[in-house]
Amino acid sequence: MKKSRAAMRSCCRKQASSKEGRKKHAPSSSQAKPSAPDGLAGRLEEVVLQASVSPYHLFRDTAEVTVFRESLLSWYNREKRDLPWRRQKVRWTWTGGRMLEVNQLWAGLGYYSRGRRLQEGARKVVEELGGHMPCTADTLQRLLPGVGRYTAGAIASIAFGQITGVVDGNVVRVLCRVRAIGADPSSTLVSQQLWSLAQQLVDPARPGDFNQAAMELGATVCTPQHPLCSQCPVQSLCRARQRVEREQLLASQSLPGSPDMEECAPNTGQCQLCAPPTEPWDLTLGVANFPKKVSRRPPREECSATCVLEQLGAHGGARILLVQRPNSGLLAGLWEFPSVAVEPSGQCQRKALLQELQSWAGPVPATRLRHLGQVVHTFSHIKLTYQVFGLALEGQTPVTITPPGARWLTREEFRTAAVSTAMKKVFRVYEGQQPGTCKGSKRSQVSISSRRKKPSPGQQLLDNFFRPLICTDPPSLNSVAQ
């Protein structure tokens, strides 16, 4: 096995090096150029990019790049965190059996689409690629569903030693501060420049370590709001830090004139990487003036009526109905209580919800449908208000025929199922209305608060998954996770 891994790694490096060799005949430049699509459109895009960027935001020469690499890697050797995947030799293995557990492991953590993509990728590696992982950033991104530029670069550099840079949120922050890039980092031009800088800086001898070091720097030192500049290994190359010193000297009026420090020419309005003149420097922020804070649209508001339908006399104990969401869109493929989108006004909510219930469980007693309260849950782009209803089927013939996309679970099974945090909130409202509970009491509120502080079952399973030294049996899957 060790030989086969070494052979694969060697093969991947040869592929990467052969690509580098083909590039040697291209015109040389002191600045690394961003990759561009073939053809005239790509060349024109590259020309426009270089023409609109001031040298102030670039690295002057290879000596500066070398200092940056050596300083960052030396710091990383000393200060890197003890993270699970760093304790052993990195192995990027996507096993189909493990991926079947992903949505259950990650339930409530907000990674549902990523879990689905991991499972799809694992199946493709096993079924179509003969169990062999693609080992270059290009093939990873092209062949595996859900693998974007960042993920492809991280896997290729860390696992296979390909000389390729990566840009995530932490790296964006580091590069924007080191080179004083004040323009919107989400714009196409700035994003291209950041990827170009990352590719220029990545260390050829230790590409995986370098990329992890850049991300580590952003996560622990060059943080969003309270950066620890005195602990930064590359502060001598940081243009944001130089700008802070210049502005402090000018504000103090301790020295006549302007300090002798290099700067861009912001008054010309031609540099596409500088902040707009309409956004003045904020002395209270310091280096946190970079990167530019992108204003986000407030989440749109939606309303849904959802019902906890429970069979109290079901065989084997009480059962709760869950139905599966569509395979695309919000919370794709997860399980939830029967729900319908409704107007906030509340008109026709009961009628629409009853029709939904009947489509899954057959005739239900409409008079027993009770409104229990509401739950508000904010996703990244949607603020969703759930009007919570409850309906207990008691003294009726148990429902035995279940259509595709529906499951009847016990309460214990529900608590370990692949359901969203929003559905868990809905269920707490339902439980609080059951006999024997003290709605609104201090004791009830305290118990809910303490329960929220404990790690969820999914979080506990995920923690166990990343403990290589502890031997634990994989959790059993109930029918919902399938």
Side-chain angles (χ1 to χ4, degrees), residues 190-475:
V190 177
S191 177
Q192 288 177 337
Q193 186 59 41
L194 293 174
W195 277 97
S196 175
L197 286 171
Q199 185 62 38
Q200 179 189 11
L201 291 171
V202 64
D203 189 277
R206 299 173 60 189
D209 284 347
F210 180 88
N211 287 333
Q212 290 187 81
M215 292 185 278
E216 186 96 337
L217 184 66
T220 62
V221 174
C222 196
T223 56
Q225 297 182 1
H226 304 289
L228 307 174
C229 293
S230 62
Q231 300 177 24
C232 179
V234 294
Q235 61 174 299
S236 63
L237 297 172
C238 182
R239 296 216 182 282
R241 186 66 185 165
Q242 295 167 9
R243 174 75 184 270
V244 168
E245 293 171 355
R246 180 172 65 251
E247 295 293 340
Q248 288 175 343
L249 287 172
L250 288 174
S252 67
Q253 297 293 321
S254 59
L255 292 176
S258 174
D260 185 18
M261 294 183 182
E262 185 180 358
E263 61 179 317
C264 192
N267 296 330
T268 63
Q270 295 178 355
C271 179
Q272 299 298 308
L273 296 184
C274 282
T278 54
E279 297 183 10
W281 178 266
D282 187 341
L283 284 171
T284 64
L285 292 179
V287 299
N289 278 279
F290 304 98
K292 174 183 169 60
K293 306 297 185 296
V294 181
S295 57
R296 295 183 177 180
R297 293 181 180 179
R300 68 176 186 270
E301 296 193 11
E302 295 184 2
C303 188
S304 175
T306 186
C307 179
V308 180
L309 180 64
E310 187 170 21
Q311 293 190 77
L312 299 178
H315 178 69
R319 305 272 172 170
I320 301 165
L321 178 64
L322 289 184
V323 299
Q324 193 169 27
R325 291 184 60 84
N327 289 327
S328 60
L330 181 69
L331 303 176
L334 287 190
W335 296 78
E336 66 178 6
F337 301 117
S339 306
V340 290
V342 294
E343 293 296 327
S345 61
Q347 295 179 355
C348 305
Q349 285 186 4
R350 295 177 64 90
K351 181 179 179 181
L353 188 55
L354 280 168
Q355 290 177 347
E356 179 70 10
L357 292 172
Q358 289 168 0
S359 69
W360 293 107
V364 295
T367 55
R368 295 187 187 176
L369 184 65
R370 298 181 299 127
H371 183 259
L372 306 178
Q374 72 177 30
V375 163
V376 179
H377 188 80
T378 302
F379 301 92
S380 58
H381 57 295
I382 298 174
K383 182 180 180 181
L384 189 50
T385 300
Y386 294 91
Q387 296 299 334
V388 182
F389 291 79
L391 199 163
L393 300 178
E394 189 173 10
Q396 293 180 263
T397 304
V399 179
T400 56
I401 300 176
T402 305
R407 296 284 189 275
W408 291 92
L409 302 179
T410 66
R411 293 192 179 202
E412 291 71 25
E413 289 171 334
F414 169 79
R415 290 187 176 92
T416 58
V419 297
S420 67
T421 301
M423 288 299 104
K424 293 177 181 178
K425 289 181 179 179
V426 168
F427 191 63
R428 283 200 292 269
V429 172
Y430 176 77
E431 282 189 305
Q433 296 286 343
Q434 301 308 299
T437 59
C438 238
K439 178 187 175 185
S441 70
K442 289 185 178 180
R443 181 177 179 182
S444 173
Q445 292 172 3
V446 169
S447 66
I448 291 175
S449 174
S450 348
R451 190 162 61 243
R452 285 178 180 171
K453 291 180 181 178
K454 296 177 182 177
S456 67
Q459 181 65 60
Q460 293 173 18
L461 288 172
L462 194 60
D463 291 341
N464 289 335
F465 179 77
F466 282 115
R467 289 196 184 108
L469 301 180
I470 300 176
C471 181
T472 56
D473 293 330

Side-chain angles (χ1 to χ4, degrees), residues 44-187:
L44 287 175
E45 185 178 287
E46 187 174 322
V47 170
V48 171
L49 174 63
Q50 294 299 322
S52 58
V53 171
S54 165
Y56 171 74
H57 302 287
L58 307 176
F59 286 90
R60 283 188 295 261
D61 49 39
T62 56
E64 259 194 345
V65 171
T66 300
V67 171
F68 188 97
R69 290 172 179 165
E70 292 178 350
S71 301
L72 182 60
L73 283 170
S74 296
W75 169 83
Y76 179 71
N77 292 338
R78 298 189 312 270
E79 305 293 340
K80 65 180 176 182
R81 294 172 292 178
D82 180 22
L83 300 178
W85 57 88
R86 292 174 182 165
R87 294 174 193 161
Q88 298 178 339
K89 186 177 180 180
V90 177
R91 293 178 295 167
W92 293 84
T93 55
W94 286 12
T95 57
R98 195 43 113 165
M99 288 306 106
L100 286 174
E101 299 171 16
V102 166
N103 270 340
Q104 186 185 24
L105 285 168
W106 290 359
L109 301 180
Y111 298 141
Y112 310 111
S113 62
R114 298 182 189 183
R116 190 173 65 256
R117 289 294 193 180
L118 279 171
Q119 187 176 9
E120 292 173 3
R123 284 175 174 165
K124 184 160 187 177
V125 168
V126 172
E127 297 171 4
E128 299 181 27
L129 303 179
H132 298 291
M133 276 285 288
C135 52
T136 66
D138 176 63
T139 54
L140 283 160
Q141 192 171 352
R142 180 162 43 86
L143 296 179
L144 297 185
V147 173
R149 192 174 183 182
Y150 159 71
T151 303
I155 296 175
S157 62
I158 298 173
F160 301 114
Q162 185 184 5
I163 306 170
T164 183
V166 300
V167 174
D168 73 341
N170 287 317
V171 177
V172 166
R173 186 164 55 256
V174 168
L175 293 180
C176 282
R177 289 175 179 172
V178 168
R179 294 294 91 179
I181 297 175
D184 181 359
S186 65
S187 69

